[in-house]
Amino acid sequence: MGREGSDYTAAILAYCLDAAAVVIWKDVAGLLNADPKVFRDTVRYPEVSYQETIEMAYYGASVIHPKTIKPLAVRQIPLLVKSFLDPAAEGTKIHNCRHGLLAPAYIRKTNQCLLSFESKDLTFISEENLEVIFGALAQVRLKIHLMQNSAISFSVCTDFSAYRLDKLLALLRDQFSIHYNTGLDLYTIKNYNAASIRRLTEDRQLLLEQRTRQTFQFVCRTDSHEHLR
């Protein structure tokens, strides 16, 4: 069933049985705000809502697959994330709850590709142009992690695959001028603040950035350092 298939199976069985709870055992203390293999000074969330967990998983948090959450949320079944290295520890409870602003979550996706499309006749990027680009990306199975458009260009960040990129260029090069960079990282800060943005962007050249009310994302060249500040 792919990555986290056993967790998804447990969620489906819990849904069918209307279970009281599901416990998933991991090698970390619970749901953390970052991958401890990459980021220092990680924080454990004592409890997190279903919605917040799904968003973190969507952006690339590796502990819980988003498919695992949906059947549990429908039945309002709590998901407990605990450590098999310390079974008595509290872990994290994922359930239908309300909480204040959480500690910023740091998520990194490696081996990224930044693609920019420009109409060859220098016309504005229109809905018709976007339909063609989205269709081609879907055809070659490249998932968009970040996108941004200006008057005459449209940029997307995807996982890098030389094979899929070549297929995409073949489909679109007659209609668009296409530029791309590889060897990139995509960083997402969920529930960002000024300090968390400074922590990740300091001394880095950002190729693309975007922010909403709760999420800040940027693309940069791969950092050679194993751990981040």
Side-chain angles (χ1 to χ4, degrees):
M1 296 180 69
R3 184 174 72 85
E4 307 296 344
S6 59
D7 295 352
Y8 186 34
T9 301
I12 293 172
L13 291 173
Y15 174 91
C16 295
L17 298 170
D18 198 14
V22 173
V23 182
I24 293 179
W25 298 93
K26 300 289 183 179
D27 62 351
V28 291
L31 185 60
L32 306 180
N33 73 323
D35 183 348
K37 296 176 182 177
V38 179
F39 295 87
R40 295 191 178 101
D41 304 322
T42 57
V43 175
R44 176 184 60 86
Y45 298 120
E47 66 172 357
V48 185
S49 68
Y50 294 121
Q51 293 83 357
E52 189 79 18
T53 306
I54 288 173
E55 287 194 26
M56 290 182 187
Y58 171 81
Y59 289 119
S62 59
V63 173
I64 304 296
H65 194 282
K67 284 184 177 181
T68 301
I69 301 300
K70 183 176 179 180
L72 301 178
V74 170
R75 292 277 196 189
Q76 298 292 291
I77 299 172
L79 174 64
L80 306 177
V81 183
K82 296 175 70 69
S83 172
F84 57 74
L85 300 174
D86 187 7
E90 182 181 356
T92 299
K93 183 178 183 180
I94 299 169
H95 61 134
N96 186 23
C97 65
R98 293 191 177 186
H99 41 63
L101 189 63
L102 297 173
Y106 301 100
I107 302 161
R108 181 180 72 169
K109 280 184 174 291
T110 60
N111 194 31
Q112 298 294 290
C113 177
L114 182 62
L115 289 143
S116 295
F117 307 89
E118 294 181 4
S119 177
K120 286 192 171 181
D121 59 7
L122 296 182
T123 56
F124 293 148
I125 293 293
S126 64
E127 290 77 7
E128 290 79 9
N129 296 137
L130 295 177
E131 182 180 12
V132 173
I133 295 170
F134 283 133
L137 287 165
Q139 185 174 333
V140 302
R141 299 177 63 188
L142 280 174
K143 180 183 176 183
I144 298 173
H145 300 310
L146 176 65
M147 58 184 172
Q148 192 174 100
N149 69 283
S150 65
I152 60 172
S153 70
F154 179 66
S155 299
V156 298
C157 179
T158 72
D159 294 328
F160 174 66
S161 164
Y163 170 72
R164 290 189 171 92
L165 178 58
D166 286 344
K167 290 182 66 176
L168 183 71
L169 296 177
L171 288 171
L172 296 177
R173 65 163 52 100
D174 289 342
Q175 189 170 345
F176 300 95
S177 297
I178 305 172
H179 308 279
Y180 63 90
N181 298 91
T182 60
L184 307 178
D185 287 342
L186 169 63
Y187 287 91
T188 300
I189 309 175
K190 186 80 169 60
N191 304 312
Y192 68 87
N193 53 32
S196 63
I197 292 177
R198 284 196 303 271
R199 176 185 181 186
L200 291 195
T201 60
E202 191 174 30
D203 300 326
R204 283 195 172 94
Q205 180 184 5
L206 277 55
L207 304 183
L208 183 69
E209 65 177 282
Q210 188 176 98
R211 75 177 72 195
T212 63
R213 291 180 181 178
Q214 294 185 323
T215 304
F216 179 79
Q217 294 181 285
F218 67 91
V219 180
C220 65
R221 300 199 180 277
T222 296
D223 194 327
S224 60
H225 299 296
E226 183 179 356
H227 283 79
L228 299 172
R229 292 184 296 273

